[in-house]
Amino acid sequence: MSTTGNPRVPPPHERPRDADGAPARNKEEFIVRFGQTWKVLRAGSFPEEEALDPGRAERVFARGLNPAGVGRQLRAVLASGSRKEGCTA
């Protein structure tokens, strides 16, 4: 879930990248989307984590959502450019 920003690094997989990004209309929809999102991000690894997703989603929802903040974070990542020169690996 991180990158150097190097344009030569392969882009993200289409499935997570193409999510519509629209905020959930209610708690139930949020919990379903949370599970779907993390299933894709886990890419088949750690299937035992799926059972924990509903509880995690409930805690995230209860803490509060900030869709505008997510958008700002994404724009910051995209605008930051390459960090390749600072990488030692």
Side-chain angles (χ1 to χ4, degrees):
M1 297 186 61
S2 181
T3 179
T4 64
N6 181 348
R8 292 176 37 171
V9 172
H13 189 281
E14 291 177 12
R15 283 181 64 196
R17 188 185 66 209
D18 290 343
D20 69 8
R25 292 179 295 250
N26 55 51
K27 180 179 178 180
E28 291 73 25
E29 184 178 328
F30 178 82
I31 292 171
V32 169
R33 286 185 180 194
F34 184 96
Q36 291 169 339
T37 297
W38 278 99
K39 187 170 187 160
V40 170
L41 293 176
R42 281 192 287 269
S45 300
F46 310 105
E48 66 279 4
E49 293 287 311
E50 288 184 39
L52 303 173
D53 286 344
R56 291 173 175 158
E58 292 229 9
R59 290 190 299 278
V60 169
F61 190 87
R63 186 178 63 222
L65 306 176
N66 188 337
V70 172
R72 286 191 301 271
Q73 181 68 27
L74 180 57
R75 285 191 301 279
V77 168
L78 295 173
S80 66
S82 178
R83 290 167 295 289
K84 182 180 176 194
E85 295 302 319
C87 293
T88 58

